[in-house]
Amino acid sequence: MSASQIWRLHKKLHKYLGRKGKLLVWTKISVPPSGFEDFIPYLSGIVEFENGEKLPVQIVDCTDEDLKPNLKVISVIRRGKKVKPEEVIEYVVKVKPFDSAQGRPAS
Amino acid sequence: MKINILGSGITKFGEHWDKDLLDLAMEAGNEALNNSGLKSEEIDAVIVGNMLYSKASGQDHLGALIASNLGIKSSSSHVEAACASGGLAVHTASQGILSGLYENILVVGVEKMTDFSTSEVSTALMGAASEEERQAGLTFPGLYALMAKAHMKKFGTTREQLAAVAVKNHFHASLNPKAQFPFEISVDKVLSSSMISDPLTLFDSSPITDGAAAIVLSSAKKSEVYISASAVASDCVGLAQRDSLTEVPATQIAAEKAFSQSGLTQKDIDLLEVHDCFTIAEILAIEDLGFCKKGEGGKFIESGATKLGNKLPVNTSGGLKGCGHPVGATGVKQIIEIYEQLKGAAKKRQVKNAKAGLTQNVGGTGATVAIHILQK
């Protein structure tokens, strides 16, 4: 993506900071697209936020054994796919498990 | 007015290291022209279905490139609708015939994929998905894996039922000399092959393929086989925006339109060619087309009902899984398979007394669906 495309993308990111939701469905990806080779295997799925909005996201800070349908998650902003040193770093929305009893991200 | 199919041409599907995109398009295009009995100067329009080539190779202007090399100087254009590019090309040609603007149209579906690495192809294919899906590192095996997991959870569909789709389509491919993988496989082979995106393995997935398929459509000359319905429907590009992960509404909408156009119902259809890019996709297709109840597609296929010689043969060509999936050519190849079946020219994979067949060609995870019904 060009720098201007990434700039437009980053302008929307604040809307997703710390949003809570639930995990609807997920898969473990073993054969990745370009830029995701260093992550494999990794988890991606669809979450539904509390306002009803659904979003495809990467699920981080957990293993597939930690996941179950309707698992509480919270959105975080993380680096996206790997880019060359001279390219602009792309940040994207990801989610991680959220411990609702503790009111904080699950450790 | 009838949309008559005058002739067809198709390359072998597979890895053509010695041929480029134009070589493949010429082979299929010239064969279709020769079989149609028409001369190149009698063709009023050429419509090319292709998804990836301009993006991957830098070569644009495919309509004129292919038409001119076939010696055709009339109208030419390029249609792109992801993996439904071939079906959309046939639909666009059907519009041209039914409007009365053109009498004879050559449709060429073509894709050259093996010049590029698996990662490059996977990334290019994801151009048919949403920006959010690309950011999430999802791939098409990943997106269809999400649909498979939702179907398994909601209806109890099993890994063995998914594998039964690949086993049946490889059996059909073993009877098709044009198929990329003309050999049989077992359920165990599917289940034990390498995992691509849980629960879909390598043998649940259609391959990277080179190939071309072409047909000549005409309102001017009669033929035994004709297209009685050509319908297309669209939906959200992003899977998360859909109400359900276990249905493809565009298939349901396009099917309703196609049955209405043809005056036929599911009971009149003798065979199907559906878009089994992944095994779950064939299960969804059979359900959404109305050939079994929602949720029962896995059991229906596992029962053997969709195997050649049984109740409703599905993907006698071998489908995308066994015959191969050169994405821009697939929708045209599906039409050719039904055309050959209705002519009685399908040899070892002939469906007896076939009078009507249906094709379903999907772009993305169902953002575009093209459905055609052929009759004789």
Side-chain angles (χ1 to χ4, degrees):
Chain A
M1 281 203 284
S2 69
S4 58
Q5 285 175 301
I6 293 172
W7 173 67
R8 287 197 298 271
L9 173 73
H10 286 176
K11 282 182 22 170
K12 299 174 187 169
L13 281 181
H14 70 277
K15 296 179 188 170
Y16 291 97
L17 271 172
R19 283 177 64 177
K20 299 184 189 97
K22 61 183 179 183
L23 181 62
L24 298 181
V25 64
W26 68 94
T27 182
K28 183 159 75 174
I29 292 179
S30 304
V31 179
S34 299
F36 287 84
E37 294 87 347
D38 291 349
F39 296 120
I40 57 168
Y42 59 90
L43 301 163
S44 291
I46 295 175
V47 297
E48 183 175 358
F49 292 116
E50 287 174 343
N51 66 354
E53 181 186 359
K54 290 186 280 187
L55 193 72
V57 287
Q58 200 173 333
I59 307 145
V60 295
D61 296 351
C62 61
T63 69
D64 54 338
E65 291 172 356
D66 300 323
L67 303 184
K68 58 185 179 183
N70 298 318
L71 178 76
K72 302 279 187 199
V73 294
I74 187 167
S75 61
V76 292
I77 307 300
R78 295 279 175 87
R79 286 173 75 137
K81 67 180 180 182
K82 190 174 183 180
V83 295
K84 294 175 185 170
E86 68 272 23
E87 293 177 326
V88 178
I89 296 171
E90 181 184 341
Y91 289 89
V92 302
V93 181
K94 300 185 183 184
V95 299
K96 63 182 182 180
F98 179 76
D99 185 341
S100 55
Q102 299 291 327
R104 59 178 172 73
S107 57
Chain B
M1 186 187 296
K2 278 186 177 177
I3 306 166
N4 299 293
I5 303 178
L6 299 188
S8 68
I10 187 166
T11 67
K12 177 160 174 68
F13 280 15
E15 297 177 350
H16 288 283
W17 302 107
D18 57 334
K19 293 175 183 170
D20 64 18
L21 177 125
L22 195 55
D23 294 327
L24 296 166
M26 290 304 99
E27 184 179 329
N30 278 317
E31 185 184 349
L33 276 174
N34 289 338
N35 289 337
S36 74
L38 297 180
K39 296 172 183 170
S40 58
E41 55 266 31
E42 293 177 276
I43 298 295
D44 302 313
V46 175
I47 298 173
V48 175
N50 177 270
M51 177 190 178
L52 299 172
Y53 200 66
S54 62
K55 187 189 302 183
S57 76
Q59 175 64 61
D60 283 307
H61 217 166
L62 295 182
L65 180 74
I66 290 170
S68 62
N69 276 277
L70 287 166
I72 297 169
K73 297 189 181 302
S74 58
S75 165
S76 65
S77 56
H78 167 206
V79 173
E80 189 281 316
C83 297
S85 297
L88 257 288
V90 177
H91 180 68
T92 305
S94 299
Q95 291 174 324
I97 296 282
L98 292 174
S99 71
L101 187 61
Y102 302 123
E103 288 189 341
N104 303 312
I105 300 181
L106 172 67
V107 181
V108 181
V110 61
E111 207 73 59
K112 176 67 190 174
M113 301 174 80
T114 61
D115 281 352
F116 313 101
S117 70
T118 301
S119 178
E120 287 172 324
V121 170
S122 180
T123 302
L125 287 168
M126 279 305 286
S130 71
E131 181 60 46
E132 292 80 9
E133 288 168 342
R134 286 189 288 275
Q135 289 172 3
L138 281 160
T139 56
F140 273 102
L143 288 163
Y144 275 93
L146 297 179
M147 298 167 92
K149 288 188 91 169
H151 204 276
M152 293 165 90
K153 180 168 178 263
K154 187 169 183 179
F155 301 113
T157 300
T158 65
R159 283 286 300 112
E160 289 74 14
Q161 289 169 349
L162 293 172
V165 174
V167 171
K168 181 261 299 174
N169 288 346
H170 266 259
F171 167 68
H172 291 162
S174 74
L175 306 174
N176 183 358
K178 300 288 187 181
Q180 183 170 6
F181 299 134
F183 53 83
E184 294 190 59
I185 58 171
S186 65
V187 169
D188 285 345
K189 179 80 173 174
V190 180
L191 297 180
S192 63
S193 62
S194 57
M195 190 62 73
I196 303 296
S197 286
D198 166 42
L200 300 179
T201 66
L202 181 66
F203 276 74
D204 282 296
S205 312
S206 57
I208 289 170
T209 310
D210 302 327
I215 54 173
V216 175
L217 303 180
S218 176
S219 59
K221 281 182 73 176
K222 303 284 186 230
S223 68
E224 183 184 9
V225 178
Y226 62 97
I227 295 174
S228 61
S230 176
V232 173
S234 305
D235 200 351
C236 309
V237 169
L239 188 59
Q241 277 66 58
R242 310 243 182 95
D243 291 334
S244 168
L245 295 178
T246 57
E247 295 178 34
V248 178
T251 295
Q252 298 166 351
I253 294 166
E256 189 177 344
K257 288 182 187 175
F259 282 120
S260 174
Q261 285 176 23
S262 65
L264 302 183
T265 70
Q266 283 84 350
K267 289 179 182 171
D268 301 310
I269 301 296
D270 299 305
L271 73 162
L272 310 174
E273 282 285 309
V274 302
H275 198 95
D276 60 318
C277 51
F278 301 95
T279 48
I280 183 63
E282 181 166 318
I283 290 172
L284 293 171
I286 291 170
E287 293 173 354
D288 290 326
L289 289 167
F291 288 94
C292 68
K293 288 182 183 173
K294 180 51 72 179
E296 295 184 1
K299 288 178 190 166
F300 188 64
I301 291 166
E302 196 175 39
S303 75
T306 59
K307 189 175 180 181
L308 183 64
N310 295 340
K311 183 181 175 186
L312 180 70
V314 176
N315 284 334
T316 53
S317 70
L320 284 60
K321 175 69 195 80
C323 190
H325 183 29
V327 292
T330 286
V332 183
K333 179 222 72 178
Q334 292 177 320
I335 301 272
I336 292 175
E337 177 64 17
I338 302 289
Y339 171 59
E340 290 191 347
Q341 289 281 359
L342 299 189
K343 282 198 308 175
K347 298 180 181 171
K348 288 181 181 176
R349 59 186 194 284
Q350 182 65 48
V351 175
K352 289 179 184 171
N353 302 316
K355 293 183 174 60
L358 181 149
T359 67
Q360 179 240 20
N361 188 198
V362 179
T365 52
T368 301
V369 174
I371 291 182
H372 289 88
I373 294 175
L374 278 66
Q375 291 180 248
K376 74 171 184 179

